[in-house]
């Protein structure tokens, strides 16, 4: 009997049959993420329903030398949740309880498999929110958000996921259940292992439960959509808006190609009449309407924008957000797309953008290159679809060369090769552009301490 058969036989004594799947469809679905370019190959998918079951599964996996891939909503874009070498996928989707909510402490206890949007919907009637928000929130899970230290569209105001997690329950490969930081706001008793786990992409421990910190829902939100003549104008607008509007909560950017892609994919008219080279979606919280209107007319008076609209109600605001949130989906639809998610210090953005735009023009003639992202955070997404007619192997080889050049430029700006999507498998080769050799050695030492046999999410991060 093979090790994997032995392992599954042991598990089947404690789990019910519907918690272990070997069905080919399930194996393919759960071994893949949204990056969708690696070939999935899993041996089994297991669906634990409690922290104790996760502990039992990991202990047995360790005893039988079985590699485990923790799996959330599989919306990741760097292959972190991909099983490609016959690993066993551990799906957290059934540990998805939400609550209780503590109104005094402003906390919410959830299972790692709770869907991000469901958490928002649970908090809303209480006038509260978990301010981790982005286009994949309808499928991503809190455990995945924490494991990737997800960013999103309101990092500008609220920061990354790590600001919004008070405590974690997590299980290490030896089957030990840990409670990191409980529900304490203040706890200076040595290393903060909760923070170490946040962003560790399932390589150190499996997160099963979290105590989330909540924020009051803003009393009001105003959303604007602008067209501008170029990227440097977007940065000037950002500088101006940041000074004038202290409650700026989102400053998102898309280039002309990205807006065209959304307009054509979703058959929507452009939200502004005057076309631009670059578009900005801006959101401001808790600001009187009259103040926002005055701000808008000042932008036109000072020629800071070519055109712009302000949503008059929540429905119009949601409509404007679709132009930004639909960008990735519209480009990915049916295409093989090479993706980058890079960041540089905000002050360097204009120069960085102009350098790489020119570089792409010269090195990839005939390719469509889409730029969009969270520019208020210095974070740009670059999507390059495979041109029709180009062989996949040639596309991959061109992208490899192109990446090498991009990362060299990025290193010159002290930037990051992965601003928010993590390293996973797909950015592992590039880690050294953003982290020193000594840092990567420290990573490996930490990994060995948590998972000495190297069985948890092997081949990811470092
Ligand atoms: C259209 C679109 C838009 C996106 N926009 C953004 C954005 O604005 N900002 C952003 O940061 N990301 C964005 N993403 C990427 C992605 O949605 C996030 O990284 C998200 O946090 C991943 O959550 P998930 O549950 O899908 O995790 P998965 O993809 O399932 O897993 C991601 C990683 O976390 C690990 N993991 C998952 N669950 C656990 C757990 N319980 N314990 C331990 N490890 C675990 C996995 O092994 C893997 O390494 C976007 C993706 C798409 C498709």
């Amino acid at each position: 009997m093979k090790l994997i058969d032995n392992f599954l036989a042991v598990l089947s004594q404690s789990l019910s049959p519907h918690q272990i799947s070997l069905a080919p469809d399930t194996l393919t679905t759960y071994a893949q993420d949204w990056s969708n370019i690696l070939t999935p190959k899993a041996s089994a998918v297991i669906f634990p329903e409690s922290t104790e079951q996760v502990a039992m599964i990991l202990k047995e996996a360790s005893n039988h030398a079985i590699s485990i891939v923790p799996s959330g909503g599989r919306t990741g874009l760097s292959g972190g949740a991909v099983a490609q070498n016959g690993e066993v996928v551990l799906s957290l989707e059934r540990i998805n309880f939400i609550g209780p909510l503590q109104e005094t402490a402003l906390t919410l206890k959830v299972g790692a498999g709770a869907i991000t949007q469901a958490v928002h919907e649970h908090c809303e009637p209480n006038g509260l929110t978990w301010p981790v928000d982005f286009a994949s929130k309808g499928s991503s899970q809190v455990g995945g958000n924490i494991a990737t230290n997800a960013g999103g569209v309101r990092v500008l105001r609220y920061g990354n996921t790590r600001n919004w997690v008070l405590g974690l329950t997590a299980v290490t490969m030896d089957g030990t259940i840990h409670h990191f930081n409980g529900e304490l706001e203040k706890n200076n008793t040595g290393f903060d292992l909760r923070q170490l786990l946040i962003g560790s992409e399932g390589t150190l421990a499996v997160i099963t439960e979290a105590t989330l910190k909540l924020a009051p829902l803003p009393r009001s939100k105003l959303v604007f959509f602008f067209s501008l003549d170029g990227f440097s104008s977007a940065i000037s607008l950002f500088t101006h808006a940041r000074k004038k509007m202290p409650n700026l909560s989102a400053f998102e950017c898309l280039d002309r190609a990205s807006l065209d892609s959304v307009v054509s994919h979703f058959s929507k008219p452009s939200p502004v009449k005057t076309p631009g080279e670059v578009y900005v979606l801006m959101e401001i919280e808790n600001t009187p309407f009259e103040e926002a209107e005055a701000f808008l007319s000042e932008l036109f008076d000072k020629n800071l924008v070519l055109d712009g609209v302000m949503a008059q109600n929540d429905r119009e605001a949601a409509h404007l957000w679709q132009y930004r949130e639909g960008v990735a989906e519209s480009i990915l639809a049916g295409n093989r797309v090479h993706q980058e998610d890079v960041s540089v210090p905000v002050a360097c953005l204009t120069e960085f953008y102009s350098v790489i735009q020119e570089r792409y023009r010269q090195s990839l003639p005939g390719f469509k290159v889409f730029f969009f992202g969270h520019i208020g955070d210095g974070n740009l997404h670059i999507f390059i679809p495979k041109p029709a007619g180009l062989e996949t192997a040639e596309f991959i080889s061109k992208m490899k060369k192109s990446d090498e050049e991009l990362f060299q430029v990025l290193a010159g700006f002290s930037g990051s090769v992965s601003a928010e999507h993590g390293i996973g498998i797909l950015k592992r080769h590039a880690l050294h552009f953003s982290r020193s050799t000594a840092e990567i050695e420290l990573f490996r030492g930490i990994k060995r301490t948590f998972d000495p046999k190297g069985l948890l999410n092997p081949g990811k991060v470092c």
Side-chain angles (χ1 to χ4, degrees):
M1 217 177 180
K2 287 200 295 189
L3 277 176
I4 180 75
D5 298 330
N6 260 328
F7 169 63
L8 295 176
V10 172
L11 294 197
S12 63
Q13 290 167 15
S14 317
L15 303 178
S16 45
H18 72 274
Q19 291 186 268
I20 303 174
S21 179
L22 303 177
D25 278 5
T26 311
L27 293 189
T28 310
T29 306
Y30 282 83
Q32 186 59 281
D33 72 2
W34 262 68
S35 61
N36 210 22
I37 55 172
L38 299 160
T39 310
K41 185 172 170 243
S43 295
V45 185
I46 307 180
F47 298 94
E49 292 172 359
S50 65
T51 297
E52 289 68 28
Q53 286 189 348
V54 171
M56 182 276 291
I57 295 164
L58 294 191
K59 190 164 189 230
E60 289 304 335
S62 191
N63 290 342
H64 290 83
I66 299 293
S67 296
I68 297 285
V69 175
S71 169
R74 303 179 311 282
T75 65
L77 294 168
S78 48
V82 171
Q84 55 174 2
N85 295 308
E87 301 94 330
V88 167
V89 174
L90 187 77
S91 167
L92 276 298
E93 71 182 23
R94 293 194 192 160
I95 308 182
N96 59 1
F97 67 88
I98 302 182
L101 187 152
Q102 301 286 353
E103 293 216 57
T104 306
L106 285 191
T107 60
L108 177 70
K109 190 128 196 214
V110 298
I115 299 288
T116 315
Q117 186 169 337
V119 170
H120 294 171
E121 286 164 3
H122 184 90
C123 296
E124 234 173 77
N126 298 286
L128 297 168
T129 189
W130 189 51
V132 172
D133 193 2
F134 38 78
S136 52
K137 64 183 169 219
S139 305
S140 77
Q141 297 175 6
V142 168
N145 300 155
I146 295 173
T148 55
N149 182 31
V153 293
R154 295 196 177 81
V155 170
L156 188 60
R157 182 157 171 80
Y158 295 99
N160 291 303
T161 297
R162 71 169 70 256
N163 293 0
W164 299 96
V165 179
L166 218 47
L168 287 180
T169 302
V171 186
T172 35
M173 265 317 282
D174 61 359
T176 308
I177 299 173
H178 304 270
H179 300 283
F180 293 133
N181 199 54
E183 302 192 353
L184 296 173
E185 285 281 358
K186 288 187 157 182
N187 181 12
N188 274 349
T189 51
F191 303 125
D192 191 338
L193 298 175
R194 155 198 60 160
Q195 289 295 347
L196 186 58
L197 247 59
I198 300 173
S200 64
E201 298 185 54
T203 60
L204 301 182
V206 175
I207 298 157
T208 57
E209 298 178 17
T211 301
L212 307 179
K213 279 180 79 159
L214 305 178
L217 262 182
R219 281 190 297 279
S220 65
K221 281 183 191 173
L222 294 170
V223 176
F224 306 79
F225 199 95
F226 300 111
S227 65
L228 300 109
D229 59 10
F231 196 78
S232 62
S233 302
I235 300 296
S236 304
L237 174 62
F238 177 58
T239 311
H240 183 77
R242 219 175 198 189
K243 274 193 221 140
K244 295 281 173 154
M245 293 283 133
N247 293 337
L248 189 64
S249 49
F251 196 92
E252 300 281 311
C253 178
L254 44 158
D255 68 355
R256 182 195 275 246
S258 300
L259 183 70
D260 290 349
S261 170
V262 175
V263 164
S264 129
H265 182 75
F266 296 101
S267 304
K268 283 165 161 297
S270 169
V272 282
K273 287 203 178 75
T274 316
E277 286 307 312
V278 163
Y279 299 87
V280 163
L281 183 143
M282 193 166 108
E283 185 188 83
I284 296 168
E285 293 181 348
N286 301 333
T287 301
F289 199 75
E290 302 68 39
E291 199 181 316
E293 272 190 325
F295 168 72
L296 191 58
S297 35
E298 190 192 2
L299 297 183
F300 284 109
D301 292 345
K302 293 192 165 163
N303 289 323
L304 282 168
V305 296
L306 293 175
D307 200 352
V309 288
M310 178 167 83
Q312 300 298 309
N313 51 47
D314 288 351
R315 193 183 50 77
E316 285 184 21
H319 177 77
L320 288 181
W321 265 110
Q322 287 167 8
Y323 288 93
R324 166 62 187 92
E325 298 215 303
V327 175
E329 188 184 331
S330 72
I331 303 168
L332 290 169
N335 293 316
R336 184 182 173 117
V337 180
H338 182 77
Q339 302 165 30
E340 297 299 347
D341 161 41
V342 298
S343 69
V344 293
V346 179
C348 305
L349 255 180
T350 306
E351 193 190 344
F352 174 70
Y353 181 75
S354 108
V355 172
I356 57 167
Q357 215 194 16
E358 185 52 33
R359 193 191 63 81
Y360 280 122
R361 212 175 279 140
Q362 285 178 17
S363 63
L364 293 177
F367 280 65
K368 265 192 148 175
V369 183
F370 296 85
F371 297 93
F372 61 98
H374 317 292
I375 61 164
D377 313 320
N379 178 190
L380 265 188
H381 299 310
I382 307 165
F383 276 26
I384 311 175
K386 181 176 87 58
L390 185 69
E391 288 297 325
T392 302
E394 200 182 333
F395 177 64
I396 293 172
S397 138
K398 278 186 185 298
M399 289 305 106
K400 216 170 154 193
K401 184 162 176 287
S402 167
D403 269 7
E404 194 72 21
E405 289 170 19
L406 171 70
F407 297 151
Q408 297 281 7
V409 174
L410 200 62
F413 284 91
S414 302
S416 167
V417 295
S418 185
E420 52 177 22
H421 296 163
I423 292 295
I425 297 174
L426 295 173
K427 289 290 174 283
R428 201 173 167 210
H429 67 285
L431 184 60
H432 68 97
F433 285 100
S434 293
R435 300 290 195 156
S436 69
T437 311
E439 257 181 310
I440 295 173
E441 262 321 301
L442 285 173
F443 280 19
R444 292 183 178 145
I446 292 167
K447 167 74 178 166
R448 280 194 294 276
T449 302
F450 274 79
D451 175 23
K453 295 183 183 170
L455 293 172
L456 190 59
N457 225 2
K460 317 286 168 68
V461 183
C462 60

